[in-house]
Amino acid sequence: MSLQTETETKRSFNQIGTRPVRPDGIDKVTGRARFGADMEMPGMLHGLVLRSPHPHAKVKSIDISRAAKLAGVKAIVTRDDFKMPKDKDLVDICANIMARDKVLYDGHAVAAVAATTKAIAREALKRIKVEYEILPHVTDVDEAMKPGAPILHKGMRTGGMDTKPRKDSNVVKRYKFGHGDVEKGFKQADIVIERSFKTAATHQGYIEPHACLASIGPDGQGDLWVCTQGHYMVRNVCAGLLGLDVSQLRVTASEIGGGFGGKTTVFIEPLALALSRKANRPVKMVMSRDEVFRATGPTSSTSMDVKIGATKDGRITAAHAELRFQGGAFAGSPVSMGAMTAFACYDLKNVQSIGYDVVTNRPKQAAYRAPGAPMAAFAVESVIDELASKLGMDGLEFRILNAAGEGTKSSYGPTFGPIGLKTTLEKAKSHAHNKAKLGKNQGRGIACGFWFNFAGNTCVSLNLQLDGTIALSVGTPDIGGSRASMSLMAAEELGVPYDKVRTIVADTASLGYNDVTDGSRTTFAAGLATIEAARDAIGKMCGRAAKVWGIPADAVKWENGYAKPAGPNAGAFKPMSMAEIAAIAHKTGGPIAGHYEINADGAGVSFATHIVDSEVDPETGRVTILRYTVLQDAGKAIHPDYVEGQYQGGAVQGIGWAINEEYIYGEDGRLQNAGFLDYRIPVASDLPMIDTVILEIPNPGHPYGVRGVGETSIVPPLAAIANSVSNAAGVRLTELPMSPPKVLKAIGEHNRA
Amino acid sequence: MRFESPQTTKDAVALLAGAKGKGRVLAGGTDLLVQMKSGMAAPDVIVDIKRIPAMKSIKAEKDGMRVGAAVASAEMAEHAALAKGWPGVVEAADLIGSTQIQGRATLAGNLCNGSPAADSVPAMAAIGAKARVVGPKKRRDVLVEKIVTGPGKISLAKDELIESILLPKRPPRSGDAYLRFIPRTEMDIAVAGAAVSLTLDTKGVCTDARVIIGAVGPRIIDVKDGAKALIGTKVDKAALKAMEAACSAAATPIDDKRGTKEFRKHVVGVLARRAGQIALKRAKGSK
């Protein structure tokens, strides 16, 4: 047999690139699919959380006595039920899921109740008396950085500074990336543009609220069913917070109604487990939409300064960015990734990006698709657009002239391998959209974007069943059609029809550790592991055929679903199908399975260019998106429907973020729009059909050339839309969202000036 | 909590009158159920009026068209005579929420919810719509602008409900229109709204007009100066501009999460001017 382990860039595929129906499709459209809140158990209790109405306060006391006396209340947990873990990585998580000495944001959990009915649990929450000492608060990133701002964490000193700071600060850390001499570079420039930008915090807006069902028996064995992007992560974190052996907690991932990065941490899961342990009954918890907005993880709000210089003939000589991201009440805003990605699209001699990670009295941010990159791209691509226009150059030409290519030393360090940025720009240039005429009050915007992509720990198992069909178990929750892609890759490799493979997301006891479905890693890493597991199984099947035929294993090859003699010298034997091999497996050595475990590398970066047309009503400031085209490198599109879906979804979330979505805090530090009425994600009628162009510049790190596609698509939209709206309105817009009052004000000020 | 589905208006009124604690009328439920779910409302008795025939019908009368209190927006939009005669009212009702919401939401419910941002209320007020209010002892016909007294507050007694709304017959050469501003295309609440109704004489001169603006004050505002700006003119550019200015001047909005004061004052004028243009076109097209 021969297995090809190098990249098969020239390989022709039988099934990869086709568009079969996804295995979870019928269940989802008929309502049979089980999401987080669909699990029930006999004797189940309902858990609810009491949340702080204050953005910043000392919790002086919590009196649960009146609530505990209420008939039907079976357990109450507070900070006293969670010991601060020794593991440093769990400390902030512990303080986030249940406030300790202080509440740090409106919505911070202070107690949780499990009762026989939701109504009783609600009544119990009213009976819990919390004594607060209200402290001054801060929710704006620039305000939080000022001297004299209310300090969230005593003893927090800014890391990464040249001299060791002597005062407490809300600035967690300074990050610095780049190379060359920026000052020198600006001196070489004929034109320098410097602008400041702001973006509001936005929520991932997944339709399914967080939900779980926890059950721990008196023997300490626990089960948790949960809607998450990573049940292994949930298991490890919860086991750590509750002091359980990891193997005693089995976590099963439900179907998931959207995550976009927001379901890569825990909120209610450890509370449900703690309540279940205390009540000795299963406990179900489902967040309300209000709780999702107030107490889960939106992305950062930001404040940014970008300065770029270029020569008259359009070469960028220097680029500098300072990014300030607030990431809520705890360390870890994605500012480092914002700073790393800011200038990744360009081939620059002199570049520096600085990032400040800042804490404020808001919920701790969670990942949101390409964390940090969309905001940085908004600032940088806005300045690029303005530079091109001041130089009298076409925006695409200017970008092509300065674009990163193979061999470019990236602004964040590594040197790029084969990448597709220039291809996306060239294709954008020749696309019909780029040549279409614009009407009155209409504008076109272009922007490109970059994302690293991640690979990580992956473990899959592929079992040959008695009838020759395949059961494939992966450990990465399917948030974008990945089961269909896994089935396709297994079917391709094995040479069997797609519908002979059933892929499931296995629980945490069934496979080795799998990293979270994030970083656009699943089709790449779980796909790679699936291909290798299939090859492992093929090797074993060839071995079984060899045994039957009485020839050496390496004299058997695998072709189109059959074991065959490798050549004329191997002997003349009738090829054996998978079904035939499976049927006699018990006589040839027992069950046949393929496995693969890896901490994968080589994910392969990805780039995209977006083109957007918009129209601005100059009398109301209202923006309508008229036309949208996404051009992105997928490496290799396994199932093009789901690649296009990711492209379109990124554009749509970007449209919401750019135009209307924002966390609005009042003077009192409370979130004013914790619901989908006033937190405005786009509705279907707000959107044009999003056109997509899949480009395939193979990733040498994957057997089929796959690159992650889930995140790159949300990097360019903020900038592309801002450029489009700025062109339509005739005035540069530097603050997101570009809501009607802001656009109208900008037009008014521009007209008066 | 008690849930009742009476068959007659009389029974419905009796249930409200006899309610221990708070009684609430359920028509489409698109406001009430949301309020109950969020904990803002906890009625002791819910009186569902959808089983009452008089409340489910659209009937032509001598004085106009009578729309039952439980008639859904979508039913109004599908009623040809209604859509032709009172396009401003019908389009306002057809803007509420989304397609699904419009299958349930009603004019009377929109009115009784008492929201300053209700879409159908300025449109109804502009054409002089009257609510038929029924109580245990008497029934009375009340102009819709007299129903809402403040945000979430209405002038109905505990034992009263609205049975129907009369859209008065339109004089010849009349037109009405309603426009609202929302950042999205649907599933939103008006940041500002404006309704205009006008009547022309045979020479095309405006003889009567009403301009009502919404979502820019605690109640709808009857912009008399706006109407004056139109009456006696051919509703030309200058007249419309003057009406626009009158609306912006009359608006008393607040700054909130949905928009700034400055923005709302400006936009409500723009909407009124645009609604005026549509109403004019309709008046010229009508007989």
Side-chain angles (χ1 to χ4, degrees), chain B residues 28-30 70-74 76 93 96 100-107 109-110:
Chain B
T30 57
V71 172
S73 301
M76 291 173 59
I96 299 168
Q100 289 94 327
I101 297 289
Q102 287 147 20
R104 306 288 284 181
T106 64
L107 284 183
N110 200 216

Side-chain angles (χ1 to χ4, degrees), chain A residues 130-389:
Chain A
V130 184
E131 203 186 339
Y132 294 105
E133 180 189 324
I134 295 172
L135 300 169
H137 66 271
V138 60
T139 55
D140 178 79
V141 63
D142 291 323
E143 292 298 321
M145 290 177 79
K146 281 183 185 162
I151 295 291
L152 270 77
H153 301 285
K154 216 177 150 197
M156 183 178 269
R157 300 283 166 93
T158 308
M161 301 302 283
D162 300 329
T163 53
K164 212 171 169 203
R166 281 194 237 140
K167 272 189 182 160
D168 287 357
S169 166
N170 291 322
V171 182
V172 182
K173 194 174 171 184
R174 183 183 71 163
Y175 294 88
K176 222 168 159 179
F177 302 95
H179 56 252
D181 183 339
V182 177
E183 285 317 309
K184 203 175 109 198
F186 281 121
K187 279 184 195 137
Q188 290 162 357
D190 296 312
I191 176 169
V192 175
I193 290 183
E194 189 173 6
R195 291 270 176 272
S196 295
F197 300 87
K198 279 190 161 196
T199 69
T202 55
H203 196 272
Q204 299 82 354
Y206 33 82
I207 300 304
E208 184 193 15
H210 299 258
C212 67
L213 171 60
S215 177
I216 301 191
D219 54 2
Q221 293 187 66
D223 275 290
L224 180 72
W225 292 266
V226 57
C227 155
T228 178
Q229 289 177 241
H231 44 315
Y232 293 84
M233 169 278 298
V234 170
R235 177 195 61 184
N236 294 1
V237 172
C238 289
L241 293 175
L242 278 95
L244 299 170
D245 283 350
V246 168
S247 56
Q248 290 304 327
L249 181 60
R250 183 173 63 152
V251 183
T252 308
S254 71
E255 290 291 349
I256 182 167
F260 313 107
K263 290 173 182 167
T264 57
T265 183
V266 298
F267 300 106
I268 49 174
E269 298 81 0
L271 307 183
L273 284 162
L275 287 167
S276 172
R277 184 161 66 181
K278 213 164 175 179
N280 193 19
R281 299 261 292 264
V283 174
K284 179 168 162 175
M285 295 185 84
V286 181
M287 273 194 180
S288 67
R289 182 62 60 189
D290 177 271
E291 288 181 288
V292 171
F293 276 110
R294 286 168 67 209
T296 66
T299 189
S300 291
S301 64
T302 75
S303 171
M304 304 172 283
D305 308 318
V306 169
K307 183 177 172 185
I308 306 177
T311 58
K312 273 185 286 206
D313 55 358
R315 274 299 307 186
I316 298 175
T317 58
H320 185 269
E322 186 185 296
L323 314 179
R324 300 169 293 273
F325 287 19
Q326 69 75 27
F330 299 95
S333 84
V335 75
S336 59
M337 290 193 278
M340 287 163 90
T341 57
F343 295 112
C345 287
Y346 299 101
D347 181 8
L348 303 171
K349 284 205 177 71
N350 307 300
V351 56
Q352 187 178 55
S353 53
I354 291 167
Y356 292 97
D357 178 15
V358 182
V359 292
T360 64
N361 294 112
R362 295 186 185 221
K364 175 173 166 44
Q365 68 82 38
Y368 181 6
R369 268 182 122 158
M375 304 84 127
F378 160 59
V380 168
E381 290 291 293
S382 291
V383 174
I384 292 281
D385 194 64
E386 206 178 330
L387 259 180
S389 118

Side-chain angles (χ1 to χ4, degrees), chain B residues 66 77 79 81-82 93 124 173 213 286:
Chain B
R66 187 163 291 284
H79 194 284
L82 208 58
M124 285 194 283
R173 295 173 301 279
I213 54 178
S286 85

Side-chain angles (χ1 to χ4, degrees), chain A residues 499-559:
Chain A
D499 58 10
K500 296 296 173 196
V501 182
R502 179 169 182 198
T503 305
I504 63 147
V505 179
D507 65 55
T508 55
S510 304
L511 289 172
Y513 177 78
N514 278 273
D515 276 325
V516 173
T517 292
D518 69 358
S520 303
R521 75 176 210 90
T522 294
T523 307
F524 172 81
L528 181 151
T530 293
I531 292 165
E532 294 296 347
R535 289 174 179 180
D536 184 33
I538 286 169
K540 287 170 185 167
M541 290 190 285
C542 286
R544 299 296 176 88
K547 208 167 171 183
V548 172
W549 293 332
I551 61 173
D554 61 5
V556 179
K557 66 173 180 181
W558 190 262
E559 218 173 72

Side-chain angles (χ1 to χ4, degrees), chain B:
Chain B
M1 192 190 77
R2 230 169 97 211
F3 183 88
E4 298 282 354
S5 296
Q7 312 278 321
T8 65
T9 304
K10 202 177 152 196
D11 288 350
V13 169
L15 282 163
L16 287 175
K20 283 191 195 96
K22 199 158 174 51
R24 286 290 295 267
V25 174
L26 175 79
T30 57
D31 288 310
L32 179 61
L33 297 188
V34 177
Q35 288 165 13
M36 287 171 63
K37 216 173 161 186
S38 69
M40 279 162 63
D44 301 287
V45 179
I46 293 176
V47 180
D48 178 11
I49 56 169
K50 288 191 289 296
R51 307 283 169 88
I52 302 170
M55 300 224 196
K56 281 298 290 178
S57 66
I58 302 171
K59 265 195 325 212
E61 289 183 358
K62 184 167 65 67
D63 297 335
M65 196 73 88
R66 187 163 291 284
V67 180
V71 172
S73 301
E75 295 173 79
M76 291 173 59
E78 286 165 12
H79 194 284
L82 208 58
K84 192 161 180 276
W86 296 266
V89 176
V90 171
E91 73 195 356
D94 210 32
L95 283 174
I96 299 168
S98 62
T99 302
Q100 289 94 327
I101 297 289
Q102 287 147 20
R104 306 288 284 181
T106 64
L107 284 183
N110 200 216
L111 179 61
C112 290
N113 188 45
S115 164
D119 284 310
S120 70
V121 179
M124 285 194 283
I127 57 122
K130 282 178 194 157
R132 174 154 296 169
V133 177
V134 182
K137 292 200 180 105
K138 56 172 190 183
R139 57 169 55 180
R140 52 197 179 103
D141 290 329
V142 187
L143 283 171
V144 296
E145 57 263 44
K146 303 278 184 205
I147 298 287
V148 182
T149 55
K153 292 198 179 89
I154 52 173
S155 59
L156 267 59
K158 178 180 180 271
D159 54 5
E160 284 184 321
L161 53 66
I162 292 178
E163 185 186 52
S164 63
I165 288 170
L166 179 78
L167 306 182
K169 199 172 228 170
R170 304 286 282 154
R173 295 173 301 279
S174 293
D176 68 328
Y178 173 77
L179 289 174
R180 64 148 185 213
F181 185 86
I182 56 169
R184 285 194 285 217
T185 45
E186 59 180 333
M187 296 181 71
D188 219 326
I189 284 179
V191 176
V196 176
S197 169
L198 52 84
T199 302
L200 306 174
D201 65 13
T202 50
K203 289 183 185 133
V205 174
C206 178
T207 55
D208 191 18
R210 277 202 99 189
V211 179
I212 310 283
I213 54 178
V216 287
R219 296 177 64 240
I220 57 168
I221 297 168
D222 180 358
V223 187
K224 295 223 162 65
D225 287 344
K228 265 190 216 155
L230 301 180
I231 294 168
T233 74
K234 289 200 159 181
V235 194
D236 51 15
K237 232 174 160 180
L240 285 164
K241 237 3 207 175
M243 187 262 279
E244 174 180 356
C247 288
S248 290
T252 56
I254 50 165
D255 275 324
D256 71 3
K257 61 193 171 189
R258 295 194 183 129
T260 60
K261 225 190 263 185
E262 181 194 7
F263 176 76
R264 285 177 149 146
K265 275 178 94 72
H266 173 82
V267 167
V268 80
V270 172
L271 294 174
R273 166 167 43 84
R274 291 177 180 177
Q277 279 162 335
I278 298 167
L280 176 67
K281 214 170 145 198
R282 286 175 177 163
K284 283 181 171 165
S286 85
K287 289 187 185 115

